[in-house]
Amino acid sequence: MAPLALTIALGLWGIRRKNTMWGDESVTYQLAHRDLSQIWHTAQHVDLVHALYYAVMHEIFGLFGGGLLTLRLPSVLAMSAAASGVGLLALRLAGPRAGLLAGLVFPLLPQVQKFAQEGRSYAMVCALVTWATYALVVSVPHRARWRWAVYGSTMLLACLLHEFAVLALVAHGVTLVVSRVPRPVLRAWSVAAAGIVVGLLPLAIWSAGQSEQVSWIGGPVRLQYFLVVAVVGVACARAPLGVRGPVRLSALAVPILVLPGLLLLIASLVKPIFVDRYVLFSNIGIALLLGALMDYFHRRWHSSRIAWIAAVAVLAALVQPSMSLRTPQSRSNDVTAIGATVRKEGRPGDGLLYLAGQHRILTAANPEDTRFLTDLALAQDPVSSNTLAGVELPAQEIAARMLEFNRIVAVRAAGAHSPTNPQEEAKTSTLRRNFREYGTTHVNGARVTVYVRDHDPSPTAGPGSNSPGASGGVMR
């Protein structure tokens, strides 16, 4: 109960992030507001790996309303369940004090705090993997078939929420081999693992056709956290942690901490695919090791002083990260700020252009931000086309529509390169030849630029006019 209560408290602290949302959450927010048939049709084109999560969030929105708190509270509750599971794992493998300490360390980890407040599937996956791991540990000595069925179904649900949860299955297999469990146990796990793989296979095959979705990954994303935690965890494992039993704590914690990330890094040699949140459940391992290590120090020196010193040191080290994680700047973009900037810089009747079209999702969370602007490239909106960003017009039509306007508000994602297709080339070439940049506003994750026609020297027309003129005339 203590880990659960602490995780809920940390999850509720600053959960609204000043009423802001970032791009991936915006996608969840938009798709969860569509009906189930639309989610299914959209998943056939894009984001199939998250389709089950969107369906779950659709039902939650239907019950509790589709607001910002409803978007994030399921992740808070899921991470709380994960913290309880971590505590029970350590209790079973290393005793009550280690269980309490591991359960309290888990919600303090920066990555756990971050994704406990995010409207994405990663907290739910982490909770399911945690409890599947607990089911595994419980099943080893008892060998009852129903226990293995619980393990298999829980792991399969985690994998259906996000495919890379299957990497935890590999870690579990290594744990059993290292622990030298009896052959009947290995056989039972193999049957459960085969069922999980068979159940996941259709999703894996189908989603492979949407692999361009991760083309934005140019290399390992936020690799430093994984490396530091892995090194610390392996160092902790050198101490005699836990109690003797069929599964040792180190034999469970080290594989789930190291192997999933390591396998993604190896796969990244062929195609970059490592992102730290894909293996969020690896934090189970470091929490178990740190909790057991603090318990070991307490037992060795027969004093709680060391434990108190360690607790104070951990809290002091986490104060600054904990505060920064609850600011809009803690995410790679802020779609709320981007939409508000478009609304501020644009005037009724201005043209609106996305460079590239896929970044239309950056302003889609609040339609009021772009209500009085004309989307120059849009042929079919995202909902009716069952896509994330809509369908765009042919290149020639986009260029022709741009020339009908004297002012255009352009949105570019920061650090993103426009894809080389005729539509994007038509946008950039038409802007270069016929417009000049009048003002740019930089916001977290994007640039919003006002362009005016070259032939009109006066950008000072009044509100409501489509003549060149902008409230963004000062470079910011």
Side-chain angles (χ1 to χ4, degrees), residues 357-380:
Q358 66 196 47
H359 298 138
R360 191 170 278 104
I361 61 174
L362 295 177
T363 62
N366 183 10
E368 288 298 315
D369 290 332
T370 58
R371 180 181 174 186
F372 298 107
L373 305 180
T374 302
D375 192 330
L376 301 178
L378 189 64
Q380 193 175 5

Side-chain angles (χ1 to χ4, degrees), residues 122 198 200 264 302 316 345 408 435:
Y122 307 109
V198 170
L200 179 62
L264 278 189
H302 303 287
E345 301 301 331
I408 292 176
F435 293 81

Side-chain angles (χ1 to χ4, degrees), residues 212 353-360 377 389-396 398-399 417-430:
E212 281 303 309
L353 204 62
Y354 296 91
L355 307 168
Q358 66 196 47
H359 298 138
R360 191 170 278 104
V391 176
E392 296 206 325
L393 295 164
Q396 290 183 340
I398 294 174
H417 300 286
S418 297
T420 55
N421 61 51
Q423 284 97 331
E424 298 307 323
E425 290 175 1
K427 295 174 190 176
T428 54
S429 63
T430 304

Side-chain angles (χ1 to χ4, degrees), residues 270-344:
V270 178
K271 178 181 177 62
I273 204 169
F274 181 94
V275 181
D276 60 353
R277 60 180 178 266
Y278 293 167
V279 290
L280 176 66
F281 53 82
S282 294
N283 287 281
I284 299 167
I286 189 62
L288 291 173
L289 291 165
L290 288 175
L293 184 67
M294 285 189 282
D295 177 52
Y296 166 73
F297 285 149
H298 182 276
R299 287 185 287 107
R300 183 171 182 178
W301 281 288
H302 303 287
S303 170
S304 61
R305 184 177 300 173
I306 299 294
W308 278 110
I309 292 173
V312 171
V314 168
L315 287 173
L318 292 175
V319 167
Q320 180 56 39
S322 296
M323 304 225 8
S324 63
L325 285 171
R326 288 157 177 82
T327 64
Q329 292 73 29
S330 63
R331 270 53 177 184
S332 58
N333 57 49
D334 179 357
V335 299
T336 310
I338 295 168
T341 302
V342 170
R343 188 173 189 171
K344 178 183 177 182

